[in-house]
C-alpha cells in the first residue's frame, strides 16, 4: 500500500511538526512519501530526509495556490494507492487533482475556523469535501466545525487526535544552555496572530520580576511581539528562543507551560507540556479546552489579568502544582503517537479495500 501525504511546506507549524514525528512511524506499516508545494530545506525537511522519507518538491517557493501545483499533484498521485492532503491549498487542489487520478483520497482537517467562517466559501468547501473518501478530524471541535458548513453532504469522518512520543518528553533532561533564573513560563508555537503570544507577554508584565517568559518558535509577529515587550518594559524578562530542536528539554527546564492561543484545532503543544510533567494553563477556546479541561487550568480568551493570577497561583501553591502535574501526565498518556498511527493505518486499510 503506497501512501502520499501532501502539505504546502515544512515550515514551523502544528501540522508540519506532526508529519515529522508521524511519517517515520507510519512507514513501518506502508510505503509512505511526502509531496510539498514549496520545498524549502527547512529544519523539518532535513529531519524527515534523515529519517528516510522520500520528499517530492513541486517548487522552491512558488505560491502555494499556483495552478501548476494541481498538475504536479495529479501526475504524482498516479503512482500511489492513497493520497492524503493537509491544509487548505492542498485540500482544494487535491480535490481538483482527484478528478484525474484513480487513487483513493483522504484529508485531515486541522482547524476549527479560518475558511469555515467565510460564508461565500461554503459551496467550494462542500464540493471539495465531496471529492474525499474519508476526512480525519484532529478533535471533536474540528469535526463539528466542518459539519456545520458541509451539513448532510459531509463525507465519512473520523476523529483521531494528534499524538506525541510521550516517553521522549517525560524522560528528557532540562536544557543545559539556558540559564534558569526565577520562575520560567514557556510557550511553544509559531509567532502568529493565531497563537496570541501578546496575551502571555501582557500577563508577564503584571507579575513580579522573578517571573520570566521563554517563547519558542518563529513567525510573522516576531517584531510586533518584541515591540510589545519593550513597551511594557519586560524585554529583559522575555526571551525569544527561536526555532529549537530540544523542545522537550526546554519544557523540562520550565516551571509552567502556557498556551494563550486565539485558535487551536487541537493543542499539541499543551500535550507536550503535560507529558514533560509541567502544569498547563491555556485559553478557553475550542479544541484546546477539550485537551486541557480537568487536567490543567483554563482562562478566558485574551484575559491577561486572569492569566497572571493563574500563573502566580500555581507557582505559589505546591499542592495545586503537584496535582496539575499528575493529572496532566495522565491526560497526556491518552495522546501517545502510537495510538494515532494505529488509527490512521486502520483507515488506510479500510479505504484501500473499498
Amino acid at each position: 500500500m503506497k501512501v502520499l501525504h501532501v502539505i504546502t511546506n515544512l515550515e514551523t507549524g502544528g501540522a508540519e511538526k506532526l508529519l515529522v514525528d508521524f511519517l517515520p512511524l507510519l512507514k513501518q506499516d506502508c510505503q509512505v512519501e511526502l509531496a510539498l508545494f514549496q520545498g524549502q530545506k527547512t529544519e523539518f525537511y532535513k529531519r524527515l530526509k534523515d529519517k528516510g522519507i522520500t520528499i517530492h518538491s513541486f517548487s522552491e517557493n512558488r505560491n502555494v495556490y499556483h495552478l501548476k501545483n494541481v498538475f504536479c499533484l495529479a501526475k504524482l498521485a498516479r503512482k500511489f494507492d492513497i493520497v492524503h492532503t493537509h491544509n487548505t491549498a492542498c485540500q482544494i487542489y487535491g480535490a481538483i487533482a482527484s478528478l484525474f487520478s484513480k487513487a483513493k483520497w483522504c484529508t485531515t482537517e486541522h482547524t476549527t475556523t479560518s475558511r469555515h467562517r467565510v460564508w461565500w466559501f461554503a459551496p467550494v468547501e462542500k464540493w471539495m469535501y465531496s471529492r474525499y473518501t474519508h476526512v480525519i478530524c484532529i478533535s471533536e471541535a474540528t469535526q463539528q466545525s466542518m459539519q456545520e458548513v458541509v451539513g448532510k453532504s459531509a463525507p465519512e469522518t473520523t476523529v483521531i487526535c494528534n499524538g506525541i512520543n510521550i516517553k521522549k518528553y517525560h524522560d528528557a533532561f532540562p536544557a543545559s544552555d539556558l540559564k534558569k533564573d526565577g520562575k520560567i513560563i514557556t510557550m511553544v508555537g509559531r509567532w502568529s496572530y493565531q497563537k496570541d503570544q501578546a496575551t502571555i507577554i501582557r500577563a508577564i508584565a503584571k507579575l513580579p520580576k522573578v517571573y520570566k517568559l521563554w517563547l519558542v518558535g518563529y513567525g510573522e509577529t516576531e517584531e510586533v511581539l518584541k515591540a510589545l515587550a519593550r513597551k511594557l518594559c519586560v524585554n529583559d524578562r522575555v526571551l525569544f528562543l527561536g526555532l529549537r530542536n530540544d523542545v522537550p528539554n526546554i519544557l523540562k527546564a520550565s516551571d509552567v507551560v502556557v498556551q494563550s492561543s486565539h485558535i487551536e484545532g487541537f493543542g499539541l503543544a499543551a500535550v507536550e507540556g503535560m507529558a514533560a510533567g509541567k502544569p498547563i494553563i491555556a485559553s478557553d477556546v475550542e479544541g484546546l479546552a477539550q485537551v486541557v479541561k480537568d487536567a490543567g487550568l483554563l482562562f478566558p480568551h485574551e484575559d491577561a489579568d486572569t492569566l497572571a493570577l493563574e500563573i502566580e497561583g500555581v507557582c505559589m501553591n505546591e499542592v495545586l502544582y503537584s496535582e496539575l502535574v499528575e493529572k496532566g501526565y495522565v491526560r497526556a498518556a491518552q495522546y501517545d503517537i502510537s495510538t494515532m498511527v494505529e488509527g490512521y493505518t486502520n483507515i488506510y486499510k479500510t479505504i484501500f479495500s473499498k
Side-chain angles (χ1 to χ4, degrees), residues 23-323:
L23 295 186
L25 298 176
L26 187 61
K27 75 174 185 177
Q28 298 174 11
D29 297 298
C30 57
Q31 181 179 335
V32 59
E33 299 180 14
L34 178 64
L36 302 175
F37 283 10
Q38 296 176 331
Q40 300 100 321
K41 306 300 189 296
T42 63
E43 181 61 33
F44 283 172
Y45 183 103
K46 296 172 184 176
R47 285 165 63 180
L48 275 177
K49 291 289 287 187
D50 290 342
K51 292 179 180 179
I53 299 298
T54 298
I55 300 177
H56 306 269
S57 299
F58 295 165
S59 72
E60 185 70 22
N61 55 11
R62 185 171 61 212
N63 188 293
V64 295
Y65 287 101
H66 197 292
L67 287 176
K68 283 187 177 180
N69 292 326
V70 175
F71 300 107
C72 292
L73 181 55
K75 181 178 180 181
L76 181 60
R78 296 170 188 164
K79 302 177 182 179
F80 293 86
D81 302 306
I82 296 172
V83 182
H84 191 144
T85 64
H86 304 263
N87 297 348
T88 302
C90 299
Q91 289 176 319
I92 296 172
Y93 283 7
I96 298 172
S98 72
L99 297 169
F100 310 100
S101 167
K102 294 182 179 180
K104 305 291 180 64
W105 292 71
C106 65
T107 189
T108 294
E109 188 54 67
H110 293 273
T111 183
T112 58
T113 181
S114 65
R115 65 173 191 269
H116 296 320
R117 301 291 183 258
V118 184
W119 66 268
W120 57 262
F121 194 78
V124 176
E125 194 160 34
K126 288 181 180 179
W127 176 84
M128 179 191 80
Y129 282 124
S130 74
R131 296 299 309 168
Y132 287 97
T133 303
H134 205 104
V135 177
I136 296 171
C137 298
I138 64 171
S139 67
E140 292 180 0
T142 60
Q143 183 185 50
Q144 180 179 352
S145 180
M146 183 200 78
Q147 291 176 339
E148 286 175 356
V149 174
V150 182
K152 294 182 179 179
S153 61
E156 185 176 357
T157 64
T158 301
V159 175
I160 300 179
C161 295
N162 290 342
I164 66 169
N165 184 334
I166 300 297
K167 190 175 188 300
K168 176 181 177 181
Y169 287 83
H170 182 264
D171 295 348
F173 290 98
S176 58
D177 65 322
L178 296 173
K179 181 181 179 181
K180 184 172 181 179
D181 180 18
K183 297 292 184 182
I184 304 301
I185 315 304
T186 296
M187 180 169 174
V188 179
R190 182 178 177 85
W191 299 337
S192 64
Y193 168 80
Q194 174 181 334
K195 299 300 182 181
D196 188 24
Q197 285 87 358
T199 293
I200 180 59
I201 293 175
R202 292 190 180 97
I204 288 295
K206 299 175 183 297
L207 289 165
K209 292 184 178 180
V210 69
Y211 289 88
K212 311 295 173 63
L213 175 62
W214 291 351
L215 293 176
V216 182
Y218 96 110
E220 60 272 17
T221 60
E222 178 177 355
E223 293 307 317
V224 173
L225 294 172
K226 288 181 176 179
L228 177 62
R230 290 193 295 270
K231 179 181 178 180
L232 297 176
C233 300
V234 292
N235 49 299
D236 60 333
R237 294 163 54 198
V238 179
L239 183 59
F240 291 82
L241 295 176
L243 291 175
R244 299 279 298 218
N245 294 326
D246 58 345
V247 171
N249 310 91
I250 292 173
L251 294 175
K252 274 292 186 180
S254 307
D255 292 294
V256 175
V257 175
V258 169
Q259 290 298 121
S260 56
S261 307
H262 287 304
I263 303 163
E264 285 290 351
F266 176 70
L268 199 64
V271 177
E272 292 172 347
M274 290 188 285
K278 304 300 173 181
I280 296 294
I281 305 176
S283 52
D284 192 1
V285 296
E286 288 183 339
L288 186 56
Q290 293 175 348
V291 173
V292 175
K293 186 178 180 180
D294 299 325
L297 299 179
L298 297 172
F299 70 95
H301 176 226
E302 295 185 311
D303 188 342
D305 292 306
T306 300
L307 176 55
L309 290 173
E310 296 283 22
I311 291 171
E312 192 167 30
V314 169
C315 290
M316 298 298 290
N317 188 329
E318 293 184 5
V319 174
L320 176 60
Y321 190 100
S322 299
E323 180 182 327

